[in-house]
Amino acid sequence: MADSRLQIEKPERKERGPVWDVFRRLSKRITAMMGLVIVVVFLLSALFAPLLAPHDPYEHSLADKLATPSWDYPLGRDELGRCILSRIIYGARISLLIGLIVISIGIFVGVPIGVVSAYFGGKVDFIVQRFVDTMLAFPGILLALLLIAMLGVGLHNVMIAVGISTIPIYARLARSSVLAIKSRQFVEAARSIGSSHLRIILQHLIPNSLSPIIVQSTLHMATAILWAAGLGFLGLGVSPPTAEWGAMLNGGRLYIRVAYHVATFPGLMIFVTVLGFNLLGDGLRDALDPRLKT
Amino acid sequence: MGILLQVRDLKTYFYTDAGVVKAVDGVSYDLKEGETLGLVGESGCGKSVSALSILRLIANPPGKIVGGEIFFEGKDLLKISEKEIRNIRGNHIAMIFQEPMTSLNPVLTIGLQIGEALELHRNMNKKEAREEILRLLRMVGIPDPERRIGDYPHQFSGGMRQRVMIAMALSCNPKLLIADEPTTAVDVTIQAQLLEVVKELTSRLGTAVMLITHNLGVVARHVNRMAVMYAGRIVEQGPAAEVYAHPQHPYTIGLLASVPRLDKPRKERLVPIDGQPPNLILLPPGCSFMPRCSYRMEICSKERPELRPVGDGHFTACWANMER
Amino acid sequence: MSGQYIIRRLLIMIPVLLGISLIIFTIVRVIPGDPAVVLAGPHATKDVVDQVRVQLGLDKHPVKQYLLFIGNIFKGDLGTSNRTGLPVTKEIMARLPNTLILAFASILVATVLGVTTGIIAGVKQNSKFDYLSMLVALFGLSMPVFWLGLMLMLLFSIKLGWFPSVGAESFKHLVLPAITLGANSTAIIARMTRSSMLEVIRLDYIRTARAKGLSEKVVISRHALKNALIPVVTVIGLQTGTLLGGAVLTEIVFAWPGIGRLLVEAILSRDYPIVQGVVLVVATMFIFVNLIVDILYSYLDPRIRYH
């Protein structure tokens, strides 16, 4: 701006470690805190579903099918008379599981690919990057759909398919952050004292490219949950009695004219959860990487 | 010669997360018609901010002009409407910036960028503007202007871009040209050429120039009067030759000792000024230069020295009495 | 200069297209079991299976198979649907126009709404409009497409009766699906436009433009906008991809007879030639869209055009 070289020294602050520092910066933003609260509630309901759910999510009663919300069944009952609230709480488990597995696949396969590609450069980098480019040339959810078509319908295959289609994104991310720090002094120093490639990668490159990966993973939780629910909605995910948000929505879709609540509440849950991860991810990005602040 | 610009007690602050940065804190000076004033100081001393304040180009937030008056041809620029200041900008007061690489819009041709001001302030139509742009490009020494008028900034070298900036700034025959470190970012060999272009054209057009620089060599050759800024304030001002020959403020003395001079024997050592420029958020109550000053006395940490006359039109803000 | 640039972009496309076809080719052939049986469909007789094997050269070396695969694509032969017995190309062409209409309408809505909102929010940073629109954008970003579709249908067709809920017969049928499909992209484009605008607006040349005495309107529209839109154009291009993927869900919700629905039906009935064909066609379209974006890009940014 006017004179960007104005000398501004930040006042001294007590050091309390990096985690506390991130939390402090995060707490400055109401929206990020809201995201954190949503995510925590989501995690708690996934972990303690049996304690929180008022009813058995699989107990059906055809006599009460499509019953509207009441004191006993706060969100009503579905097409088989099951408690929607309980099914939503249990559904959090599936969504959490999907999110974690998808991201793990992305991180444990994608990050090493990206790091190796950037670290060695040259031909390795060129070939890997052409492969990554090609995978990214598949629009949106299409690669996942192709993989499911070939692997077959089912929860496991949904997770594998979505996981595989996130690999190129992590590979690219890891590559760019490694490229940014590769030529820094501490890496040069490690190389000059004869550290092995593996040691440099594990001790210097991966830890130093963590923040963008953490941010990306949080935002990716949102995408993974969204995609998996979409695939569940298409009937490609869990097999019938399992409580999964996308599949619940699909079941309720047919009754939208007579019983709006069956489709509305599971969708609302997906929306709120995804919103939570997005808010938290945005907040984390601002807190971890001040350069990206706008 | 009449007085063109009068700056009185100008204060421009920046409100940042870390605190209030008093970038310009009570600056006053005059500029006569056709005169060249050098505003000198280290980076971050507030010289650019004080210049941008004249045209009210301080980004708000975080910056704000919190006090003072800026009289230009009798009107206080800080009090007139947004529309009136826009009529001053580029028309009566024009500006050249430090970075020729980033100061021109990369996606618009240079012809369009020069022509804008002509159409706006001189009511020219496209055809008249084109002729005038060609004349201006020729005037600042850009070869083959007919071919280059449709080129984009990235097709020019740094020095040529700065010539484009000069053409743009002089397009409406301004009364005052503010040149904010116009040569810092270009090659040393080009610097002198550019300054000659500015000097030659402004003296031909009778334009007053405010030359902002940290380069004392530039000041010595090109300005009539100079003002030295430190930590948001003017610490010394006077006729350039007088200040150069008899600097009265320890900071000016330090600055002069830290650059090679042609009027002194070559054997003399160059002495850098010790210490760092001060933190503008937490300025000490007394003289801001005190921590780095080798002449400091007891009073310096208690009371801030105001500008006081030490010669004909020569002022300094220092408690110490220097030999003349 | 410009022509050369376009030719170079076209040449770069060839390896990407080959790569895509190779990935599809590989995925379809590494599935467990005999590819001939799989591609012929679950109800095929032994004769049909043998016919497919010979037709696709599945008894030959993989490299030969791939060359045959590519050759068939160039001939416009994507195989035969094992559900309807019709050529895959015919099945796809019958549905493709509907998806194109839907996708085009959505990206139009998303671009116009997203860019406008982003510009206003960026110019009036920290205003009420800025906060509100960015909050709505975050909602849009987090909204499951299929749920939004259902909710819009519930409100506008079931409760209010303004628009029909399913089908693709008229312009009125297009409104809800286009909004549904465009919502996510609108949000992303708005966010991107805003941050790009904020970035550009504090650059030196904007200060130069202001120092010339130009009005704020001219500074924004002539000096800031074109620069700010450069990254936005890329995002819009990438969004068409997300949109083509999202079309699958939207088409199911609104019973829109496009290739997305065709794909889902094919997956559920294990009609692999259709799956392979749709994926190939959609991926190719996406690559072409990005080619167009690249060319558009070079018109916005002279630095690319002249290099």
Side-chain angles (χ1 to χ4, degrees), chain A residues 134 137-139 145 149-150 226 229-230 233-234 236 249 253 256-257 263-264 267-268 270-271 274-275 278-279 282, chain C residues 19-20 27-28 31 138-139 142 144 146-147 150-151 154 158 165 191 241 249 252-253 263 267-268 272 275 279 286:
Chain A
T134 313
F138 281 95
L145 281 171
M150 294 308 143
L226 213 49
F233 175 77
L234 294 175
L236 304 175
L249 230 164
R253 177 167 73 98
I256 186 97
R257 283 164 196 280
T264 303
L268 192 65
I270 303 171
F271 168 56
V274 171
L275 183 68
N278 275 331
L279 288 170
D282 270 7
Chain C
I20 288 229
I27 290 176
V28 173
I31 38 168
L138 204 62
F139 282 12
S142 313
F146 42 101
W147 183 63
L150 279 175
M151 293 300 111
L154 184 65
I158 296 172
S165 58
R191 276 161 62 107
L249 294 158
I252 294 286
V253 172
L263 178 61
I267 293 174
L268 291 172
Y272 293 107
V275 173
V279 172
F286 181 46

